[in-house]
Amino acid sequence: MTADELFPEVLAGHVALCIECNTNTRASVPVRWIESSSGPGTTLYACPDHALKLDPGPFPGELERGA
């Protein structure tokens, strides 16, 4: 095993998978939030090109009863 394999280069920044084209993007835009009954919810992201075409929401707090 080489030193490069033991210590791979780690790039800084948030990387997310676009829900539309399934590619990794560093310029991720949150577009939806999925509530979970057994833990924290999950935020779904899109790349900038697809974020403009998707309808945003819901986000945390938008689906609370009585709101």
Side-chain angles (χ1 to χ4, degrees), residues 27-54:
S28 56
V29 179
V31 291
R32 288 194 180 83
W33 184 75
I34 299 173
E35 187 173 356
S36 174
S37 61
S38 62
T42 302
T43 303
L44 300 178
Y45 297 92
C47 63
D49 293 334
H50 290 116
L52 296 173
K53 300 172 187 171
L54 296 171

Side-chain angles (χ1 to χ4, degrees):
M1 191 170 254
T2 67
D4 290 336
E5 292 172 330
L6 288 172
F7 304 103
E9 182 179 352
V10 178
L11 301 174
H14 181 262
V15 177
L17 188 68
C18 175
I19 62 171
E20 192 68 23
C21 64
N22 294 322
T23 58
N24 286 323
T25 178
R26 290 198 178 281
S28 56
V29 179
V31 291
R32 288 194 180 83
W33 184 75
I34 299 173
E35 187 173 356
S36 174
S37 61
S38 62
T42 302
T43 303
L44 300 178
Y45 297 92
C47 63
D49 293 334
H50 290 116
L52 296 173
K53 300 172 187 171
L54 296 171
D55 292 328
F59 288 102
E62 289 183 345
L63 298 178
E64 291 178 5
R65 293 182 184 172

